[in-house]
Amino acid sequence: MVSTLGGLQRYFRVIILLLLALTLLVLARFHLTDSELVTPLSGGQAKGPPVTNIMFLKTHKTASSTVLNILYRFAETHNLSVALPAGLHVHLGYPRLFLARYVEGMEPQQHFNIMCNHLRFNLPEVQKVMPNTTFYFSILRNPVFQLESSFIYYKTYAPAFLRAPSLDAFLASPRTFYDSSLLNNVYAKNNMWFDFGFDPNAPRTEGYVRARIAEVERRFQLVLIAEHLDESLVLLRRRLRWALDDVVAFRINSRSARSVTRLEPKTRERARSWCALDWRLYEHFNRTLWRQLHAELGPRRLREEVERLRARRRELATLCLQDGGAPKNHTQIRDPRLRPYQSGRADILGYNLRPGLDNQTLRLCERLVMPELQYMARLYALQFPEKPRKNIPFLEA
């Protein structure tokens, strides 16, 4: 009898242990699945709450307006403060070096969550605005195509471009048109280098170039590459621990094909030489991005994450956009609030929303397609309701 009871006790202990192990396995599986839905991270990266203190150095003609839209949407959705230009200004003092007083509502010991408008980087002043825990990132583009875009966009603004009949003519003899003493010529040579706070006309000595690149690496945790924007956004999402919809975006401030100049090989080579400092910066961080992607994701996981991002973009385009999501010339955009600013000889495109959207979907879709100046004015009105609204006169055009 005692032997029988002992056997039963051992049997029940085994059953209980098996049930306990099964319960722990189910709970662990649920935890992993639930965590992936919220923040799909892997490769040993620490999990945690979303990053909300962010400084984005918005370089020029680099797809940075698309990234700006992502940050503006996140700020509005999560009720975060944005360091916006003071008064009626639309830039944070650019092209002058940034000063904290260029931020609306800036007071001693006050910090903002997100900083992402155009400025010329000046770390000591930026640190007056942003907390010590801030995540710093930026974006670069192949300097050949960045210069081509700048030539079209700033044609009537930069004296060097205004005087040149074409980009070919400018690059064939840049010193004929370029005067480094004119501040608005910052767009005409090594503009991305300039945006990082460096001298665009500095001698291209190896020691100087390496020192400046190392300076960028020390401060910026991530540098996106415009030619690989989707891959860059996948990595940004992992670093910020954000949800997929937070980084899905439509192209903002893009040009029509007819306003893009086709460059001959000789012109491209001249552009690389003229913007040699930008080229070194771009080459270095393009290599860095791919090293980081392969280290943190690997080729297969990267392909999967990029396809998830693109699939979700297609879903939102179907939900929000008319005519299959094709961007439109500004004259074809019905809602004046969604018409993008036109500059130089560029034909900047925007979007028409599908009619009949319910209020919640309409708010979501409007945020996805809102041009940057209109969105900035919107956030300014939300943050500073007591101040006069920013004047965006072309909205009525």
Side-chain angles (χ1 to χ4, degrees):
M1 183 69 174
V2 172
S3 175
T4 303
L5 286 173
L8 285 172
Q9 288 173 340
R10 284 194 297 274
Y11 173 77
F12 282 120
R13 278 200 298 271
V14 170
I15 294 297
I16 290 170
L17 287 172
L18 286 173
L19 288 173
L20 180 60
L22 182 61
T23 301
L24 290 172
L25 182 64
V26 170
L27 287 173
R29 178 67 179 167
F30 174 81
H31 173 73
L32 288 173
T33 304
D34 186 61
S35 296
E36 185 163 341
L37 286 171
V38 179
T39 23
L41 303 171
S42 64
Q45 182 173 335
K47 297 178 176 65
V51 175
T52 55
N53 294 326
I54 300 161
M55 192 280 164
F56 172 56
L57 178 59
K58 188 180 188 296
T59 51
H60 289 76
K61 314 317 300 171
T62 57
S64 62
S65 294
T66 300
V67 180
L68 183 84
N69 177 268
I70 289 170
L71 295 170
Y72 276 173
R73 282 166 27 218
F74 189 84
E76 185 175 10
T77 301
H78 296 274
N79 196 30
L80 302 176
S81 60
V82 181
L84 296 170
L88 300 180
H89 298 287
V90 296
H91 295 152
L92 290 167
Y94 194 88
R96 297 181 297 277
L97 275 171
F98 172 75
L99 298 175
R101 62 182 174 85
Y102 297 152
V103 174
E104 184 68 78
M106 184 64 197
E107 297 178 1
Q109 309 306 316
Q110 180 183 359
H111 289 136
F112 290 80
N113 295 118
I114 291 179
M115 187 178 206
C116 54
N117 284 76
H118 278 309
L119 58 81
R120 188 178 183 208
F121 193 67
N122 183 8
L123 180 60
E125 291 292 311
V126 170
Q127 288 176 321
K128 294 178 182 178
V129 179
M130 301 302 296
N132 292 333
T133 57
T134 295
F135 179 92
Y136 287 75
F137 79 105
S138 187
I139 187 168
L140 298 172
R141 182 183 182 185
N142 185 316
V144 174
F145 305 115
Q146 192 273 344
L147 182 64
E148 182 276 329
S149 182
S150 292
F151 185 86
I152 299 298
Y153 196 85
Y154 299 110
K155 184 70 176 78
T156 58
Y157 187 74
F161 293 159
L162 183 62
R163 296 173 57 206
S166 67
L167 184 57
D168 282 330
F170 174 78
L171 288 170
S173 182
R175 297 292 177 189
T176 302
F177 308 102
Y178 178 77
D179 181 351
S180 62
S181 69
L182 301 178
L183 193 54
N184 286 348
N185 274 339
V186 299
Y187 304 102
K189 186 179 185 183
N190 292 312
N191 184 224
M192 295 181 290
W193 191 264
F194 178 87
D195 287 349
F196 276 90
F198 306 141
D199 179 4
N201 297 290
R204 300 179 315 204
T205 60
E206 190 64 19
Y208 168 76
V209 172
R210 288 190 177 190
R212 298 292 77 74
I213 289 175
E215 193 175 322
V216 175
E217 281 196 314
R218 284 193 298 272
R219 173 47 51 190
F220 289 83
Q221 288 99 313
L222 181 62
V223 177
L224 315 183
I225 297 295
E227 285 77 15
H228 310 294
L229 185 59
D230 287 345
E231 292 85 354
S232 295
L233 291 176
V234 165
L235 189 54
L236 177 68
R237 179 195 172 206
R238 288 171 57 82
R239 297 286 181 87
L240 298 181
R241 301 187 291 271
W242 285 7
L244 179 62
D245 276 10
D246 292 331
V247 298
V248 175
F250 302 140
R251 290 180 66 194
I252 301 294
N253 214 34
S254 64
R255 289 179 292 159
S256 67
R258 68 180 180 85
S259 65
V260 177
T261 305
R262 184 181 179 88
L263 302 178
E264 297 299 326
K266 182 181 290 187
T267 302
R268 296 185 184 199
E269 185 55 42
R270 286 170 172 168
R272 280 192 289 269
S273 176
W274 177 245
C275 294
L277 296 172
D278 273 359
W279 183 253
R280 289 290 302 275
L281 195 65
Y282 172 80
E283 276 195 314
H284 177 87
F285 284 103
N286 188 28
R287 289 193 300 267
T288 300
L289 173 70
W290 285 101
R291 279 200 304 270
Q292 293 169 331
L293 285 167
H294 285 290
E296 295 189 31
L297 288 141
R300 184 182 63 82
R301 179 71 184 272
L302 176 60
R303 286 193 299 271
E304 292 172 353
E305 291 297 322
V306 167
E307 181 49 38
R308 287 184 66 199
L309 179 70
R310 291 172 178 170
R312 183 56 177 153
R313 183 186 297 130
R314 291 191 293 269
E315 290 176 0
L316 288 170
T318 300
L319 174 69
C320 294
L321 305 180
Q322 200 170 36
D323 302 323
K328 299 294 183 182
N329 177 279
H330 74 284
T331 61
Q332 300 173 302
I333 298 172
R334 295 185 305 271
D335 188 341
R337 297 172 304 160
L338 302 181
R339 290 176 189 155
Y341 175 65
Q342 303 297 306
S343 176
R345 293 181 181 173
D347 177 22
I348 305 299
L349 304 177
Y351 299 93
N352 279 323
L353 298 180
R354 289 178 55 215
L357 299 174
D358 63 77
N359 289 338
Q360 183 176 355
T361 305
L362 179 62
R363 285 194 297 272
L364 165 69
C365 296
E366 280 181 341
R367 292 175 182 178
L368 281 164
V369 304
M370 190 172 293
E372 63 177 281
L373 293 180
Q374 287 93 312
Y375 213 148
M376 178 191 61
R378 171 188 174 87
L379 292 180
Y380 187 89
L382 289 172
Q383 279 189 204
F384 307 103
E386 74 285 357
K387 294 184 178 291
R389 300 204 170 188
K390 287 189 181 288
N391 182 29
I392 314 290
F394 52 85
L395 288 180
E396 307 303 324

